[in-house]
């Protein structure tokens, strides 16, 4: 079981996405680059203030690669044009990866901001749903620093203390 | 070429993300299609799009020079605007031109909540649907 946000985990997620895409009757043709921006929120122990950025490239329904960008790495240099961008707080992405949140709900409620050509995205809704489900439940993830749901600061302060 | 009506996003509501997607879709369709611009300028009234499987809805209101997309949906009852309701995926497929609206209605993937007047609903259905040429281009690949 890979630790979250490691190269092994990215590969496992990529494999799960491609397995999911393989079950669909049809997948969109063409090549798409997706950027994911996770903002540090002071709650997730896996994402600092500087956040984390990821890129993935999908061609004819297959995720070719999924990798994390180092601070200062230019996303256009690695993927050319970015077609879609997903952005949200770290806790939300952690809860998605742990299967605690529904990704479609998160997008429709605006918890995660989605930018890009909506006409294309809506056309590929079945495929997007399959990819997101693979992300949320396709990999048995290990959380070495503790997994979500997290006890937030004020919750911890209100929690009863043991004698 | 006429300028498209402004698409105004009112994201203060539960369905902020859905409203942003619908607003983006409208903006792109109105920019590309003179026929959709004409319909949007002539239409008046509000339409609700309800994603029943998510219990989320947005309201699209046609004004003379703008289309307002609000991130909430009023409850039913007298005076409530007409609504197109169904699973989010079915609604997305119809809007993106991947499924014919009539087929979706006949197969009960979508339903029109019988509220009147329906003129705004017909206008919204047309304006939201991706122009055929764009949908065809999308089918032939993203890049």
């Amino acid at each position: 079981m890979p630790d979250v946000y490691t190269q092994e985990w990215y590969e496992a997620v990529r494999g799960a996405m491609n397995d999911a895409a393989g079950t669909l009757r049809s997948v969109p043709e063409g090549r798409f680059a997706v950027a994911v921006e996770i903002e540090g929120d002071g709650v997730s122990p896996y994402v600092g203030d500087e956040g984390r950025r990821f890129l993935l490239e999908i061609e004819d329904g297959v995720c070719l690669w999924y990798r994390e960008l180092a601070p200062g790495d230019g996303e256009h240099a690695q993927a050319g044009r970015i077609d879609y961008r997903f952005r949200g707080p770290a806790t939300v992405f952690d809860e998605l990866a742990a299967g605690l949140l529904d990704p479609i709900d998160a997008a429709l409620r605006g918890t995660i901001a989605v930018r890009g050509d909506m006409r294309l995205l809506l056309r590929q809704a079945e495929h997007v749903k399959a990819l997101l489900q693979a992300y949320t439940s396709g990999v048995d993830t290990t959380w070495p620093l503790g997994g979500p749901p997290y006890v937030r600061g004020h919750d911890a302060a209100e929690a009863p203390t043991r004698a | 070429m006429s300028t498209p009506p402004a698409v105004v996003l009112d994201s203060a509501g539960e369905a902020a993300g859905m409203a942003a997607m619908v607003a983006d879709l409208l903006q792109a369709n109105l920019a590309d299609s003179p026929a959709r611009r004409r319909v949007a300028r002539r239409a008046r009234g509000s339409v609700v799009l309800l994603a029943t499987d998510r219990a989320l809805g947005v309201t699209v209101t046609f004004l003379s020079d703008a289309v307002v997309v609000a991130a909430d949906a009023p409850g039913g009852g007298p005076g409530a605007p007409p609504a197109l309701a169904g699973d989010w995926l079915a609604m997305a497929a119809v809007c993106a031109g991947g499924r014919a609206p009539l087929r979706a209605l006949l197969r009960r993937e979508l339903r029109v909540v019988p509220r009147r007047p329906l003129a705004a609903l017909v206008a919204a259905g047309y304006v939201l649907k991706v122009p055929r040429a764009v949908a065809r281009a999308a089918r032939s690949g993203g890049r």
Side-chain angles (χ1 to χ4, degrees), chain A:
Chain A
M1 291 194 293
D3 288 357
V4 70
Y5 301 134
T6 58
Q7 192 55 44
E8 191 189 1
W9 186 75
Y10 305 137
E11 279 304 308
V13 171
R14 190 177 76 88
M17 285 177 168
N18 289 341
D19 288 347
T23 65
L24 298 176
R25 274 184 304 174
S26 68
V27 292
E29 296 170 5
R31 205 173 172 104
F32 307 94
V34 180
V36 179
E37 296 175 16
I38 303 183
E39 300 156 346
D41 57 6
V43 179
S44 166
Y46 302 97
V47 182
D49 291 343
E50 67 285 358
R52 285 178 180 267
R53 294 181 303 145
F54 305 90
L55 283 180
L56 54 149
E57 184 142 23
I58 294 166
E59 184 173 19
D60 297 338
V62 174
C63 180
L64 300 177
W65 48 262
Y66 173 27
R67 64 174 75 117
E68 181 164 11
L69 290 177
D73 277 357
E75 54 189 32
H76 296 289
Q78 300 209 24
R81 187 185 76 197
I82 302 298
D83 297 285
Y84 295 104
R85 191 176 293 279
F86 294 77
R87 180 185 297 148
T91 300
V92 170
F93 274 97
D94 287 1
E95 289 183 349
L96 288 174
L100 300 175
L101 267 185
D102 182 305
I104 305 283
D105 257 18
L108 293 181
R109 290 176 190 278
T111 319
I112 289 178
V114 183
R115 304 305 300 170
D117 186 342
M118 285 307 138
R119 300 190 291 191
L120 219 50
L121 192 74
L122 293 179
R123 174 168 278 281
Q124 299 165 6
E126 295 269 5
H127 183 234
V128 172
K129 185 184 175 194
L131 296 183
L132 291 174
Q133 277 178 342
Y135 183 87
T136 58
S137 55
V139 176
D140 209 354
T141 301
T142 304
W143 300 84
L145 303 176
Y150 303 122
V151 178
R152 290 170 172 79
H154 68 279
D155 295 335
E158 288 168 6
T161 51
R162 290 185 187 174

Side-chain angles (χ1 to χ4, degrees), chain B residues 42-135:
Chain B
R42 287 178 191 159
R44 294 290 180 277
S46 295
V47 169
V48 171
L49 304 176
L50 275 179
T52 49
D53 56 332
R54 308 282 161 181
L56 289 172
V58 302
T59 305
V60 179
T61 301
F62 293 95
L63 306 171
S64 60
D65 55 357
V67 185
V68 179
V69 183
D72 57 8
L84 185 65
D87 282 4
W88 165 247
L89 279 180
M91 205 171 287
V94 168
C95 286
R99 197 167 303 166
L102 186 61
R103 184 173 168 225
L105 289 168
L106 289 174
R107 295 178 70 169
R108 295 173 189 258
E109 292 167 342
L110 292 181
R111 64 194 164 86
V112 173
V113 178
R115 300 166 178 169
R116 292 179 185 280
L118 291 177
L121 188 64
V122 173
Y126 178 66
V127 173
L128 278 166
K129 191 165 182 293
V130 173
R132 195 170 295 169
V134 175

